[in-house]
Amino acid sequence: MTYLLALDQGTSSSRSIVFDGRGNVVAMAQREFRQIYPQPGWVEHDPRELWTTQLETAREVLHKAGLAASALHAVGIANQRETTVVWNRCTGEPVYNAIVWQDRRTEATCADLRARGLSDAVLQKTGLRLDPYFSGTKVKWILDHVPDARMLAERGELAFGTVDSWLIWQLTGGQRHVTDFSNASRTMLFNIHSNAWDEELLEALDIPASLMPQALPSAAHFGTIQPKWLGAALEIGGVAGDQQSALFGQACFSDGMAKNTYGTGCFMLMHTGDRFQLSQNGLITTAAAQLPGRPQYALEGSVFMGGAVVQWLRDGLHAIRSSSEVQALAASVPDAGGVVLVPAFTGLGAPYWQPNSRGCITGLTRGTTIAHIARAALESIAFQSAALLHAMSRDSVAGGGVALRELRVDGGACANDLLMQIQADLLGIPVVRPAVIETTALGAAYLAGLHTGMFAGLDELTAHWRAERVFQPQWSRERAAAQMAQWEHAVRQTVAA
């Protein structure tokens, strides 16, 4: 039994990946599912589709790998975070669609909680901002708006969970109602100092404690998959929210290690060890994926427009026919010719938090070409990430930690060599792309392998991690500072009058 299966349940698709004992990908399967938009600002998934597509990919990947389920040592789960499912404990049926992390319908509830003075309690206990992004107000909405839901909840007949909990309930035939600390930390209901559900926050949102899953370390016994699903009884030994799982899969186990995922947006996490720290620079604090023992934390921030700016070049400006063309177009000029593009199409996220900002292009001249704009678009991803990671380093040092030493990268856009070189030049530290970029699934597999004894410890996983390419900074720090100053000047132009 030298293989591990990772179930990676994402926002747009369900994936399953088989890894060997060295963390190499053996086979992969993926299926998309419906995105449901009942009205503007609302985003839902059918929980049954999340389950069936995940099960289908698990069966498919075993077939692709030519493996029987009995060849698997254990199973790990990584999942889209904050997405909320409430189901009936007796029937196993969801009482409503899953409300997705992107959904904004509960802003009025959040405004009411802010008016009641709860922002600081939420921040101090959970490390989070009071925002519809997180699960707590989504649960309240379901209880308040689905007929009989509150009555059933108060009778103890309903269960709440993020997507990991829902999948585990299905895989174990309703035997286990559990989650891990990293997913629990995204609900706005979980005290990340004590790693326990918080009675004050549950009461403030009028959510019965009986709905909540048991919260466990990220490497633990989460249950046994019934043989009817995959052909053998398999232990679920690791669970983590997708971004925390990616941090773990990148072998960022200690204070000061960070990863950046370059996708549609960019998700950045820096490990802060066992040190809980509130950011002074617009970041949130979250529970890291963790083994049993002392709580582990990370600072986190998001860039709204990462790879999406390349999609805009393709679909909005028609400057390129496919996203793969952007690197050659941007590299056809030595620099952006003074052009700066700030892709604040939906406002600016961390560390700026300017929801009213709108995109702008500055520095245009008669000599500006589409190649300069393409280069500025790529640079905008690196500029936003640099601003965020500088903020992380400032927070870390101010809290007695260490400054960023290197940045480990993953996600689709990390394959762009020019972007990664620009990122290293701006940061002044190495940017390291790993040999295995499926780090979200790999983190879940590693957690499962640790719990079940396949790996001796974190040192063994550190030894498995290997770089595919290291991008060394080539600019002087003066040049990098001048470029960042030019970027910050352009950001100030984006605030709507």
Side-chain angles (χ1 to χ4, degrees), residues 352-417:
Y352 304 105
W353 296 111
Q354 294 175 186
N356 296 322
S357 288
R358 291 297 174 262
C360 76
I361 303 176
T362 66
L364 295 173
T365 69
R366 182 63 182 83
T368 299
T369 68
I370 197 66
H372 292 109
I373 293 173
R375 181 146 187 144
L378 268 193
E379 289 180 352
S380 76
I381 303 172
F383 277 130
Q384 291 177 96
S385 296
L388 190 45
L389 289 163
H390 287 150
M392 282 188 171
S393 274
R394 289 195 298 272
D395 274 335
S396 181
V397 172
V402 297
L404 194 66
R405 297 184 293 264
E406 68 175 21
L407 178 65
R408 297 185 174 185
V409 297
D410 51 56
C414 85
N416 189 306
D417 291 348

Side-chain angles (χ1 to χ4, degrees), residues 453-497:
M454 186 170 177
F455 306 119
L458 297 181
D459 288 346
E460 182 178 351
L461 301 185
T462 299
H464 286 179
W465 187 92
R466 58 198 182 281
E468 179 264 327
R469 181 167 173 183
V470 179
F471 297 85
Q472 295 288 352
Q474 297 175 355
W475 291 355
S476 69
R477 301 322 303 141
E478 291 75 18
R479 179 180 177 187
Q483 291 287 309
M484 287 303 299
Q486 191 177 33
W487 163 259
E488 295 293 348
H489 176 76
V491 166
R492 289 192 289 274
Q493 315 308 306
T494 67
V495 181

Side-chain angles (χ1 to χ4, degrees), residues 120-141:
D120 190 60
V122 168
L123 181 65
Q124 295 293 335
K125 292 182 175 194
T126 71
L128 308 177
R129 291 168 170 256
L130 216 168
D131 192 89
Y133 178 23
F134 305 110
S135 311
T137 55
K138 303 181 197 302
V139 181
K140 177 175 170 55
W141 189 94

Side-chain angles (χ1 to χ4, degrees), residues 2-8 16-26 72-79 218-220 235-241 244-246 248-250 253 289 291 436 438-455 461 464:
T2 57
Y3 299 96
L4 293 162
L5 172 63
L7 308 181
D8 182 3
S16 293
I17 301 179
V18 171
F19 293 95
D20 66 18
R22 298 286 301 174
N24 299 306
V25 175
V26 176
L72 298 174
H73 188 84
V75 177
I77 297 175
N79 57 285
S218 308
E235 180 168 9
I236 305 168
V239 173
Q244 288 101 326
S245 188
F248 201 86
Q250 285 276 31
F253 303 135
L291 309 183
V436 177
E438 298 293 344
T439 55
T440 298
L442 182 59
Y446 276 167
L447 288 162
L450 281 167
H451 172 69
T452 54
M454 186 170 177
F455 306 119
L461 301 185
H464 286 179

Side-chain angles (χ1 to χ4, degrees), residues 7-282:
L7 308 181
D8 182 3
Q9 205 297 301
T11 306
S12 59
S13 68
S14 297
R15 302 194 308 159
S16 293
I17 301 179
V18 171
F19 293 95
D20 66 18
R22 298 286 301 174
N24 299 306
V25 175
V26 176
M28 181 188 311
Q30 181 169 353
R31 301 217 179 167
E32 294 187 359
F33 49 81
R34 285 183 304 148
Q35 306 294 308
I36 302 167
Y37 305 103
Q39 57 181 277
W42 293 28
V43 189
E44 297 176 359
H45 294 153
D46 182 343
R48 299 173 195 84
E49 282 188 56
L50 301 183
W51 159 236
T52 56
T53 55
Q54 192 66 72
L55 179 62
E56 288 164 0
T57 62
R59 289 170 169 168
E60 182 183 345
V61 80
L62 289 175
H63 178 73
K64 281 186 173 182
L67 295 174
S70 57
L72 298 174
H73 188 84
V75 177
I77 297 175
N79 57 285
Q80 54 166 315
R81 305 174 300 172
E82 299 95 19
T83 295
T84 298
V85 187
V86 176
W87 65 94
N88 189 296
R89 291 180 183 274
C90 300
T91 66
E93 288 295 308
V95 302
Y96 189 77
N97 276 340
I99 302 182
V100 179
W101 59 270
Q102 300 157 312
D103 191 284
R104 304 299 293 177
R105 77 184 67 181
T106 63
E107 173 53 40
T109 302
C110 290
D112 177 63
L113 294 170
R114 291 185 206 108
R116 288 162 54 189
L118 282 167
S119 294
D120 190 60
V122 168
L123 181 65
Q124 295 293 335
K125 292 182 175 194
T126 71
L128 308 177
R129 291 168 170 256
L130 216 168
D131 192 89
Y133 178 23
F134 305 110
S135 311
T137 55
K138 303 181 197 302
V139 181
K140 177 175 170 55
W141 189 94
I142 291 173
L143 297 184
D144 289 344
H145 290 83
V146 174
D148 298 329
R150 184 163 291 284
M151 177 192 70
L152 292 170
E154 289 171 353
R155 289 188 346 208
E157 295 181 23
L158 299 187
F160 151 73
T162 43
V163 173
D164 56 310
S165 299
W166 168 245
L167 293 179
I168 293 167
W169 178 277
Q170 297 294 333
L171 289 165
T172 64
Q175 296 301 304
R176 296 284 282 172
H177 181 210
V178 292
T179 189
D180 91 298
F181 295 160
S182 72
N183 276 296
S185 77
R186 313 298 294 191
T187 62
M188 220 167 63
L189 301 168
F190 192 72
N191 187 313
I192 63 174
H193 302 277
S194 59
N195 278 338
W197 300 110
D198 190 89
E199 292 182 7
E200 179 191 2
L201 296 177
L202 288 168
E203 184 177 343
L205 273 76
D206 199 15
I207 297 172
S210 61
L211 264 75
M212 312 311 289
Q214 179 187 5
L216 303 170
S218 308
H221 176 67
F222 289 90
T224 302
I225 297 175
Q226 293 186 321
K228 66 178 180 180
W229 298 127
L230 297 176
L234 299 167
E235 180 168 9
I236 305 168
V239 173
D242 52 11
Q243 299 307 320
Q244 288 101 326
S245 188
L247 188 71
F248 201 86
Q250 285 276 31
C252 294
F253 303 135
S254 59
D255 188 359
M257 299 186 73
K259 70 89 189 175
N260 194 14
T261 299
Y262 295 81
T264 302
C266 296
F267 287 92
M268 286 147 284
L269 276 79
M270 175 190 275
H271 210 293
T272 61
D274 58 7
R275 178 169 45 85
F276 173 89
Q277 179 184 356
L278 294 176
S279 173
Q280 301 303 310
N281 293 280

